[in-house]
Amino acid sequence: QFGKIIDVVALKTLRLRGQAWVVFTDSAAATNALRTMQGFPFYEKPIKIQYAKTESDAVAKLKGTYKPDKKKRAEKNAVARDQLISRAKPGQQSAAKAAGGGRGPAGPEAQAPPNRTLFVQGLPEATTDQMLHMLFAQFPGFKEVRMVDARPGIAFVDFDNELQSGVALQGLQGFKITPTHGMAISFAKA
């Protein structure tokens, strides 16, 4: 709602848990988002927003000034490994753990392999297409929301690819549309 977002980075490492970087295409959009959302209650805590101290990799790539950082690359590899392990099927968990991780599948995302369509449930009956569109459109690659008229409380959300749908899944998992309705998001079954 504030402008085009080109990247969202939210890592689950202990040091960076609870933080996210949202990269807008221009600083005016970022400033508008910062001013409007500062102190907004999120999970019953006010959001604290500030400008990033360094330029994002996404912006550097657009400018053509990107230089890979070995430390960042190692951190991204660790996150990718953790995601792979969390998506492993029950029979594959021990092999995935032996490859260097300790977590097995948890929550709805373990039910279906990653794909470009998300299955959203736990929605209040009054939820509209526009409400979900506003929530999911903030993530890159968003395509459309499909409500299921015959079954209130569920919807399908399409993205360009499985990586983009995975970012949205992690970003909105458990998001409360009302104080009593937290969304449960998983990859849709084929």
Side-chain angles (χ1 to χ4, degrees), residues 90-146:
Q92 298 170 329
Q93 288 178 30
S94 57
K97 286 179 184 176
R103 293 197 310 257
E109 71 262 30
Q111 297 173 0
N115 62 73
R116 64 181 203 88
T117 302
L118 297 177
F119 175 61
V120 183
Q121 52 189 337
L123 300 169
E125 283 191 37
T127 304
T128 65
D129 290 50
Q130 289 96 355
M131 292 167 69
L132 291 177
H133 186 278
M134 285 180 62
L135 279 174
F136 285 93
Q138 64 184 321
F139 294 95
F142 170 78
K143 289 185 103 164
E144 70 173 332
V145 170
R146 293 176 283 128

Side-chain angles (χ1 to χ4, degrees), residues 6-184:
I6 56 174
D7 196 15
V8 176
V9 179
L11 302 175
K12 292 184 177 183
T13 62
L14 188 58
R15 188 172 62 94
L16 299 174
R17 191 171 164 207
Q19 298 178 45
W21 286 262
V22 179
V23 183
F24 288 90
T25 54
D26 62 277
S27 58
T31 300
N32 188 19
L34 183 144
R35 289 181 179 158
T36 305
M37 298 303 292
Q38 189 71 264
F40 183 83
F42 186 70
Y43 288 107
E44 301 173 4
K45 290 184 179 181
I47 294 176
K48 296 176 186 172
I49 305 173
Q50 62 186 23
Y51 293 109
K53 293 179 177 151
T54 60
E55 184 177 75
S56 77
D57 289 349
V59 171
K61 287 176 183 175
L62 286 174
K63 288 181 176 179
T65 60
Y66 176 72
K67 293 180 183 165
D69 181 351
K70 289 181 183 179
K71 186 176 179 183
K72 283 184 187 177
R73 206 171 345 152
E75 192 170 275
K76 284 181 183 180
N77 289 342
V79 170
R81 184 191 68 235
D82 287 349
Q83 289 173 346
L84 177 66
I85 291 166
S86 70
R87 291 181 184 141
K89 293 178 183 167
Q92 298 170 329
Q93 288 178 30
S94 57
K97 286 179 184 176
R103 293 197 310 257
E109 71 262 30
Q111 297 173 0
N115 62 73
R116 64 181 203 88
T117 302
L118 297 177
F119 175 61
V120 183
Q121 52 189 337
L123 300 169
E125 283 191 37
T127 304
T128 65
D129 290 50
Q130 289 96 355
M131 292 167 69
L132 291 177
H133 186 278
M134 285 180 62
L135 279 174
F136 285 93
Q138 64 184 321
F139 294 95
F142 170 78
K143 289 185 103 164
E144 70 173 332
V145 170
R146 293 176 283 128
M147 301 288 291
V148 180
D149 294 332
R151 291 207 35 217
I154 68 169
F156 293 92
V157 182
D158 293 323
F159 285 83
D160 286 332
N161 60 51
E162 68 185 45
L163 293 174
Q164 293 168 330
S165 65
V167 170
L169 183 149
Q170 290 179 352
L172 289 174
Q173 187 68 268
F175 180 84
K176 291 188 176 188
I177 292 181
T178 67
T180 58
H181 287 86
M183 292 192 298

